[in-house]
Amino acid sequence: MITVSNVSLRRADKLLFKDANFSAYSGHRVGLTGANGCGKSSFMSMLTHDINADLGDITIPPSFIIATVAQHVERHQGTAIDFVMAGDRALMAAKNSLQEAEQSGDNEALAAAYEQLENADAYTAESRSGQLLAGLGFTSDQQQTAVNAFSGGWRMRLNLARALMIQSDILLLDEPTNHLDLDAIIWLESWLKRYNGCLMIISHDRDFLDSICTHIAHIEQQTISHYNGNYSEFEKQRAARLANQTAAFIKQQKNIAHMQKFIDRFGAKATKAKQAQSRVKALAKLTSIAPAHIDSPFSFEFQAPSKDPKQLIQTDNLQLGYQDATILSKVNINIEQGARIGLLGANGTGKSTLIKAIAGELDAQQGSIDRAKEINIGYFAQYQLDQLRPDDTPLSHLSRAYSSRSEAELRRFLGGFGFIGNQAISSIEPMSGGEKARLVLATLVLKKPNLLLLDEPTNHLDLEMRYALNVALQSYQGSLLVISHDRHLLETVTDELWLVTDGQLTHYDGDLEQYAKWLLNNRVKDFTDSNSSANTQAAEIGSTGPIKSSETLIDKKNRKREAAELRAKLKPLTQRCQQIEAQLSQHEETLNSIENELALPSIYDDNNKQRLAAAIQQQGQLKLTVTQLESEWLEINEQLEIAHHKE
């Protein structure tokens, strides 16, 4: 249980919280939201006692273990899997006890140490660590690689895996998806949904929050507002409270008009039924939550391109790579006027390489790229943030790029990107990643491109700026090619999906939900092929691959017969699965009862020490039993899913 009572906090000269109240319990998965700079990270730092509140009380049971993701990788001479295992404090304590007992020759201590190892689940530790690393994208070889050999982004993945390895009561995650690709994000969602403690997440990925959260704690005006449900439910509830404001209503109607224009245009052009259905649903949801963003400080739109040729990009047997290494080959694409394409594929498959080549920043190894004479490319990449002049200001940066624009015009324009008043003439050097990303986007918008190439444009952007970018891209009249791990963006601004895998570029006919299932299934397959002991943590569901071409009636009939035979063989497993579900229901009911008891302040009184200890012990035993049952259930369901997909 976490209880925050009448807390006030000031950082430097800024008041972040005043008389704020908050509570969360085991089983709660809380999304902590709010504008950049509102105090989300500071709030988490108060929970870990890294900073102290100026006023008020923060109460967390002293026995509770809090897990966080370290911002720097500590020095470690071992392998990645050893580094992650070291995050399990109970395991490390048990190993130390065993070592001391062996050195002392004390048989009683030795027996106690072995019992401690058993309680710490030591015999599955390596398997659990391997599962975490595999889920976050580490191959079997990488798991045995020295920690010091990994780059910064992969080291942050190691820190995340280590935090997940800790048998914690409270898990605090601050932007856990920043260094992850889409398939790792999908795996992380699956893992966090099974977490039994109290989870608190800061994230600017609305689909991530939607998938995981049971509650939202929204920080605004120096206080914390509580909402039941996921992020979409929060938006609806907040929208209902704000929609009656007159000025807000006008802005809401403008945004809805943008969205409707895009829906109408999309509906007239869409040819792929699955993607069309998915996108219409996403856009309808976006329209319904528009009022939740009526007080957003960001508002801008792309002006119509001066020229818009019908044929923009055409490639002929394009081969791309670096030096002697080839990443993509036989790339034959055609980007025409009005194209809106989302690029899918794991990190390192060549998505950014393709965009660089189209932008003219990478020469082809073989083949050719034909660009229209009147093409005007707007290219956004993360490295551009580091190329901003530190001694520049947002105003001087734009003035140099667009000298024909007046200062007043540029100031008004910058205001739509959150650079208001003195912020427009403040130095770029101390700016956050989000502020720099906004400035690069502003530079792009003024260029009036007829082809936008966006490589992870939402990195560093908060939810309000993501929403503004989403709305702006919907009314954008040019063509678009985008890489993003933000599924909401891909769903709402693209018309078709391309998949980059195994050195090839292909059209993907499914939607993002099907792609997520395929990723999960492939992740499980790859992991179980190399680590047979880990197959108990298989993902819940997944299709067998990208959308296949049509099959003959005879093939279909045979497939159904084989599936029926397989289901008959699996009947005992189905029955066992039902038994487990009944047991889990009983255990969860008991756990809820215990956790409600542990949520009572009186349980922590001195006269209730024995009852507290018994309740915590019972809670721990039940959690262990639930974990074992869930593991068995997942293994059974993997087999049942195989039968299902063979129908």
Side-chain angles (χ1 to χ4, degrees):
M1 177 183 180
I2 301 171
T3 304
V4 175
S5 303
N6 300 318
V7 162
S8 296
L9 177 68
R10 185 180 293 274
R11 301 290 285 172
D13 59 346
K14 184 176 183 180
L15 180 64
L16 296 178
F17 300 103
K18 183 180 180 181
D19 299 326
N21 294 280
F22 172 82
S23 61
Y25 302 89
S26 295
H28 286 190
R29 299 192 296 271
V30 183
L32 192 60
T33 64
N36 281 351
C38 70
K40 300 186 294 294
S41 297
S42 296
F43 183 80
M44 280 193 175
S45 294
M46 286 195 297
L47 299 182
T48 57
H49 302 295
D50 291 333
I51 61 175
N52 296 317
D54 299 326
L55 295 171
D57 299 307
I58 298 175
T59 304
I60 298 173
S63 61
F64 274 28
I65 296 173
I66 301 176
T68 62
V69 179
Q71 295 306 303
H72 303 283
V73 177
E74 66 181 49
R75 291 185 178 180
H76 194 276
Q77 301 301 318
T79 63
I81 197 164
D82 290 335
F83 177 81
V84 174
M85 279 195 291
D88 190 334
R89 301 169 191 174
L91 174 64
M92 293 298 102
K95 285 186 174 182
N96 290 334
S97 297
L98 179 62
Q99 187 177 5
E100 292 172 0
E102 288 176 339
Q103 291 173 351
S104 68
D106 186 336
N107 290 332
E108 289 187 7
L110 193 63
Y114 278 115
E115 184 178 358
Q116 194 176 351
L117 284 169
E118 182 73 26
N119 293 334
D121 205 10
Y123 307 107
T124 66
E126 186 169 354
S127 174
R128 288 186 284 121
S129 300
Q131 292 165 24
L132 292 172
L133 286 169
L136 293 173
F138 292 83
T139 64
S140 297
D141 290 340
Q142 287 176 315
Q143 294 179 23
Q144 302 300 326
T145 300
V147 171
N148 297 334
F150 291 101
S151 64
W154 285 94
R155 290 190 180 192
M156 291 308 299
R157 293 196 190 202
L158 284 175
N159 277 346
L160 175 58
R162 185 163 175 158
L164 300 183
M165 188 68 182
I166 298 171
Q167 299 184 36
S168 59
D169 302 287
I170 298 172
L171 178 58
L172 306 178
L173 299 178
D174 192 345
E175 294 288 356
T177 65
N178 268 0
H179 300 278
L180 304 182
D181 53 15
L182 183 55
D183 52 344
I185 291 173
I186 291 168
W187 174 88
L188 181 61
E189 286 178 0
S190 178
W191 193 95
L192 291 175
K193 287 177 186 177
R194 299 195 295 270
Y195 180 69
N196 293 320
C198 179
L199 172 65
M200 186 172 293
I201 309 169
I202 299 172
S203 178
H204 295 143
D205 185 335
R206 56 167 298 118
D207 277 21
F208 186 71
L209 294 174
D210 259 354
S211 176
I212 294 169
C213 293
T214 61
H215 300 77
I216 297 294
H218 187 66
I219 302 174
E220 59 183 342
Q221 300 178 347
Q222 294 87 47
T223 192
I224 304 175
S225 301
H226 304 254
Y227 297 85
N228 292 327
N230 60 12
Y231 189 78
S232 290
E233 289 300 316
F234 150 72
E235 286 182 312
K236 292 176 184 177
Q237 295 171 46
R238 188 166 182 263
R241 178 168 60 85
L242 298 174
N244 292 328
Q245 300 176 21
T246 304
F249 180 78
I250 295 172
K251 182 178 178 182
Q252 174 196 348
Q253 294 305 305
K254 180 182 178 182
N255 287 349
I256 290 176
H258 280 172
M259 297 174 207
Q260 190 60 53
K261 184 186 296 183
F262 179 68
I263 291 172
D264 295 341
R265 181 159 57 90
F266 171 78
K269 124 176 224 187
T271 57
K272 298 176 181 175
K274 293 184 183 295
Q275 291 181 23
Q277 186 181 31
S278 172
R279 193 144 315 105
V280 169
K281 288 180 180 178
L283 288 165
K285 183 169 73 173
L286 192 61
T287 303
S288 71
I289 58 91
H293 301 270
I294 53 181
D295 57 351
S296 171
F298 311 116
S299 179
F300 64 94
E301 60 184 21
F302 289 88
Q303 298 180 34
S306 303
K307 297 179 180 179
D308 197 8
K310 186 174 181 180
Q311 183 74 41
L312 293 162
I313 298 289
Q314 189 169 13
T315 69
D316 182 24
N317 286 326
L318 193 64
Q319 179 174 303
L320 301 172
Y322 303 91
Q323 298 177 347
D324 296 331
T326 297
I327 297 176
L328 288 173
S329 59
K330 297 180 180 178
V331 177
N332 294 285
I333 61 173
N334 192 17
I335 301 178
E336 296 181 338
Q337 183 186 76
R340 307 177 72 90
I341 304 158
L343 275 182
L344 305 177
N347 279 359
T349 54
K351 302 186 302 294
S352 295
T353 300
L354 176 62
I355 280 190
K356 281 182 183 177
I358 294 173
E361 295 197 358
L362 179 68
D363 293 331
Q365 292 179 332
Q366 293 181 21
S368 62
I369 302 177
D370 184 22
R371 302 178 184 86
K373 290 182 179 180
E374 297 177 332
I375 197 168
N376 181 15
I377 294 177
Y379 176 41
F380 178 95
Q382 294 300 310
Y383 74 83
Q384 294 171 335
L385 277 60
D386 299 324
Q387 292 183 342
L388 294 169
R389 296 185 184 180
D391 56 342
D392 257 353
T393 69
L395 182 60
S396 64
H397 174 78
L398 287 188
S399 296
R400 186 171 55 255
Y402 303 99
S403 56
S404 62
R405 306 288 183 103
S406 68
E407 179 178 330
E409 182 183 3
L410 291 177
R411 278 181 172 272
R412 285 195 300 272
F413 180 74
L414 284 168
F417 289 84
F419 300 105
I420 301 170
N422 289 335
Q423 291 175 313
I425 54 174
S426 298
S427 173
I428 290 175
E429 185 173 15
M431 285 185 177
S432 67
E435 290 169 323
K436 290 178 180 178
R438 282 192 267 127
L439 181 56
V440 172
L441 281 170
T443 310
L444 240 173
V445 171
L446 275 179
K447 189 178 181 181
K448 299 199 289 188
N450 50 33
L451 175 61
L452 273 176
L453 304 176
L454 304 179
D455 192 348
E456 297 291 357
T458 62
N459 278 2
H460 307 294
L461 300 183
D462 64 18
L463 284 161
E464 294 296 346
M465 184 59 191
R466 290 188 182 203
Y467 179 84
L469 176 62
N470 204 308
V471 171
L473 287 174
Q474 288 166 38
S475 58
Y476 171 59
Q477 297 178 30
S479 302
L480 171 69
L481 182 62
V482 58
I483 302 169
S484 181
H485 63 251
D486 188 328
R487 284 161 290 175
H488 189 67
L489 183 75
L490 291 175
E491 284 177 336
T492 52
V493 306
T494 64
D495 291 340
E496 58 182 311
L497 300 173
W498 293 356
L499 176 62
V500 182
T501 184
D502 298 327
Q504 302 292 315
L505 175 67
T506 60
H507 289 267
Y508 187 77
D509 291 333
D511 57 20
L512 286 175
E513 184 178 355
Q514 289 175 305
Y515 178 66
K517 292 177 180 179
W518 175 62
L519 284 175
L520 281 173
N521 187 75
N522 280 357
R523 175 65 55 81
V524 171
K525 182 179 181 300
D526 292 342
F527 182 62
T528 53
D529 286 345
S530 57
N531 301 274
S532 58
S533 64
N535 98 33
T536 57
Q537 290 292 329
E540 293 92 336
I541 52 175
S543 70
T544 57
I547 306 301
K548 305 291 184 183
S549 57
S550 60
E551 60 185 340
T552 66
L553 291 176
I554 295 175
D555 291 338
K556 192 172 183 179
K557 187 176 181 180
N558 289 336
R559 187 166 59 85
K560 285 187 174 183
R561 176 181 53 77
E562 292 169 357
E565 292 174 354
L566 184 58
R567 286 197 304 275
K569 292 178 182 178
L570 292 176
K571 187 176 180 180
L573 290 179
T574 303
Q575 294 173 341
R576 174 56 184 158
C577 190
Q578 292 170 347
Q579 292 173 356
I580 292 173
E581 289 171 354
Q583 290 174 310
L584 283 172
S585 179
Q586 293 176 355
H587 291 326
E588 287 171 0
E589 187 175 339
T590 306
L591 267 175
N592 286 334
S593 177
I594 294 171
E595 287 166 354
N596 287 335
E597 185 178 6
L598 291 172
L600 298 173
S602 59
I603 193 69
Y604 302 98
D605 295 342
D606 290 341
N607 58 346
N608 288 326
K609 283 185 178 180
Q610 290 185 343
R611 177 54 198 152
L612 175 62
I616 291 174
Q617 184 181 10
Q618 188 182 4
Q619 182 192 41
Q621 290 173 343
L622 278 172
K623 284 184 176 181
L624 178 61
T625 302
V626 167
T627 299
Q628 292 170 341
L629 288 171
E630 286 179 341
S631 181
E632 185 182 355
W633 184 89
L634 285 168
E635 185 176 6
I636 292 171
N637 268 272
E638 182 186 3
Q639 299 177 58
L640 295 175
E641 284 292 338
I642 292 171
H644 172 74
H645 287 295
K646 285 188 176 182
E647 289 185 297

